[in-house]
Amino acid sequence: MIADQWPLFGLVLRTPRLELRLPGLELLAELAELAKGGVHDPAVQPFVAEWTDAPPERVAAGVLQWSWNAWARWQPEGWSLGLVAIAGGRVVGTQAIEASRFADLREVGTGSWLGRAEHGKGYGTEMRAAVLELAFTGLGAQFATSEAFEDNHASYAVSRKLGYAGDGISRHVIRGAPLISRRLRLDRAGWEAARTIPVTIEGLEPCLPMFGI
């Protein structure tokens, strides 16, 4: 089985409504099709990657390429784990967690998106809670970071629920204009105080060397 050669395929995170796992080709194709249908209001651009203005076929291909690139570039010193979130047997979005020199810094970053029809159901909070449990409890992280543009209220709402605090700003150029994004940081004490969503982790032990632990 593929998990014998690449243990990450055996890693599964479960919340009350979601299952998160590394996608095989069929689930990855389902995720790409979801992205093709749009992941946010086309009037706004909430990501640094300018998906909104790309043709749907290019967006779908980009999802595939991002995942394949992350797999190919994986090293214990620098990794990006992109999981699909499954609810009721269907892919509803993706949740990523990444780190550089994790063994030394004990810090991760996260990012996610949901299909437009899945917004407003609370899945974003469960998805992020799942990877935060993986980071803090499973991997022994000390910090988690996130970042969102000032008008991305949904992302900030999730961060507030999960205990993040402000950590400064960054500036980006989107659609030819400068935009400010706000960085957020969560420490272990903040996570433990805000941790309310039950998460189970399966298949982690064989993966630990891949995370640099």
Side-chain angles (χ1 to χ4, degrees):
M1 294 181 64
I2 188 65
D4 294 333
Q5 287 77 39
W6 200 254
L8 293 172
F9 280 105
L11 177 64
V12 181
L13 313 179
R14 289 190 171 89
T15 69
R17 297 183 296 166
L18 301 176
E19 176 181 290
L20 285 81
R21 60 169 61 245
L22 192 69
L25 292 181
E26 290 186 4
L27 289 177
L28 190 56
E30 190 175 342
L31 182 68
E33 192 66 23
L34 187 68
K36 188 177 177 180
V39 301
H40 57 74
D41 183 346
V44 298
Q45 173 54 266
F47 306 127
V48 174
E50 298 189 10
W51 279 13
T52 303
D53 301 326
E57 294 77 13
R58 181 64 252 166
V59 171
V63 169
L64 302 179
Q65 290 177 301
W66 186 93
S67 296
W68 294 333
N69 183 57
W71 298 353
R73 293 172 61 89
W74 189 288
Q75 296 290 336
E77 297 80 18
W79 45 263
S80 181
L81 177 66
L83 305 173
V84 290
I86 302 167
R90 71 186 191 285
V91 172
V92 297
T94 181
Q95 174 71 60
I97 178 172
E98 61 186 17
S100 178
R101 299 192 63 176
F102 180 78
D104 299 314
L105 298 175
R106 297 287 170 166
E107 179 173 303
V108 301
T110 64
S112 66
W113 57 261
L114 288 159
R116 288 193 70 184
E118 311 302 336
H119 291 195
K121 299 178 180 179
Y123 289 153
T125 303
E126 285 191 38
M127 288 161 54
R128 187 143 18 131
V131 294
L132 290 175
E133 181 71 7
L134 171 64
F136 286 110
T137 301
L139 303 178
Q142 295 297 321
F143 299 98
T145 64
S146 183
E147 186 169 348
F149 290 123
E150 289 185 310
D151 59 355
N152 193 341
H153 304 298
S155 179
Y156 288 125
V158 170
S159 296
R160 285 194 297 270
K161 289 178 186 176
L162 297 175
Y164 287 75
D167 193 38
I169 66 168
S170 298
R171 300 177 75 237
H172 303 273
V173 176
I174 301 296
R175 290 174 170 169
L179 286 180
I180 291 175
S181 66
R182 299 197 177 277
R183 299 194 305 268
L184 300 153
R185 178 173 293 272
L186 176 65
D187 61 20
R188 177 176 287 276
W191 167 241
E192 291 175 353
R195 182 175 174 267
T196 59
I197 297 173
V199 179
T200 60
I201 303 173
E202 300 176 9
L204 177 59
E205 186 172 357
C207 303
L208 292 178
M210 299 185 71
F211 291 108
I213 300 174

